[in-house]
Amino acid sequence: MEELLQKYLRIFEFGSLTGIDLPYEDKGLVADKEWKKDYFKDQPGYSVWFPGDTVNMAIGQGDLKATPLQMAQAFSILANRGIQYAPYIVKDIRDTEGNLFPDSLREEYKDLKLNEYFVEIIEDGLVQVVGPGGTAAYSFRNFPLDKIPVAGKTGTAEIEGKQDYGWFASYAPVGSPEYVVVVMLEEAGSGGSNVAPIVEKIYRYIL
């Protein structure tokens, strides 16, 4: 039986290819009981899914792998209130006279029918991340949040044998979102201290 956390991660299409028009995309990993049983089949003591595994996954730790593109897609879904658009690099293709090739248009989307009540709770939490007391508050202390509200989440991913990877995922302006910005720095340490300042500068430039 699929656990609730894995169910919703897969609704947001973690563990799957986004289908972007680029080669070598990685689908990441959403681990579950069956995956762990198979992965540790030669080590029975590690093959059981414990409650702690679910707790770890809930904060992005443990056997969960996500790409920056998957995070961008997830934040886009939240920003668009459950509407998922297919990511792409090439918007359209035209001939030398500017005529559009009809088959090149990409406007694929689907409605995931998320509960608006819960989406608003999540968004409120993301807004608090950059506000007073939030983990990115210092990085956004001089940003005009009263005019351009930002929803974001800091992250610090652990990889065995390496220093922590820093993350910051976000969208803005809250209420009428135009941009999703996700930055991940390998072995950069804290997302709040070392990555959020980069995102703040990006928003200053594009907004």
Side-chain angles (χ1 to χ4, degrees):
M1 180 179 178
E2 186 176 39
E3 293 191 13
L4 196 60
L5 182 57
Q6 283 88 342
K7 172 185 175 181
Y8 279 95
L9 283 167
R10 291 180 177 125
I11 285 176
F12 277 77
E13 298 207 349
F14 287 102
S16 301
L17 299 176
T18 67
I20 194 169
D21 45 339
L22 288 173
Y24 312 119
E25 183 183 5
D26 194 312
K27 68 178 183 179
L29 172 66
V30 176
D32 55 21
K33 294 178 181 178
E34 291 303 314
W35 173 86
K36 192 174 183 184
K37 182 179 179 180
D38 180 67
Y39 189 81
F40 291 104
K41 58 187 175 184
D42 297 326
Q43 299 173 274
Y46 294 94
S47 64
V48 177
W49 187 271
F50 295 101
D53 293 320
T54 301
V55 173
N56 274 343
M57 183 174 285
I59 60 171
Q61 302 286 356
D63 297 305
L64 175 66
K65 298 178 182 178
T67 68
L69 180 58
Q70 288 173 331
M71 291 301 301
Q73 180 170 255
F75 271 68
S76 173
I77 291 169
L78 287 173
N80 288 302
R81 293 301 192 266
I83 304 298
Q84 176 188 352
Y85 291 92
Y88 56 84
I89 298 297
V90 178
K91 182 178 180 181
D92 55 50
I93 301 174
R94 299 175 183 270
D95 62 22
T96 55
E97 297 180 353
N99 298 312
L100 181 69
F101 286 94
D103 292 342
S104 71
L105 287 173
R106 295 197 62 179
E107 288 294 336
E108 303 170 23
Y109 69 91
K110 60 183 177 181
D111 188 350
L112 301 182
K113 301 186 184 303
L114 301 182
N115 187 307
E116 179 71 17
Y117 172 75
F118 293 113
V119 171
E120 289 184 0
I121 290 176
I122 294 170
E123 183 173 82
D124 182 61
L126 296 174
V127 169
Q128 292 183 46
V129 168
V130 300
T135 53
Y138 187 78
S139 298
F140 281 82
R141 65 193 183 282
N142 295 319
F143 190 84
L145 292 171
D146 56 331
K147 298 179 181 178
I148 308 173
V150 176
K153 181 67 184 77
T154 59
T156 306
E158 297 175 349
I159 298 179
E160 186 176 359
K162 297 184 178 182
Q163 295 186 49
D164 293 344
Y165 282 33
W167 286 79
F168 193 82
S170 63
Y171 60 86
V174 174
S176 55
E178 298 179 39
Y179 299 99
V180 171
V181 178
V182 176
V183 174
M184 184 274 289
L185 294 182
E186 298 180 2
E187 301 192 66
S190 167
S193 301
N194 301 323
V195 185
I198 297 173
V199 176
E200 192 265 358
K201 286 181 172 59
I202 292 173
Y203 279 125
R204 283 187 179 276
Y205 179 79
I206 62 178
L207 294 173

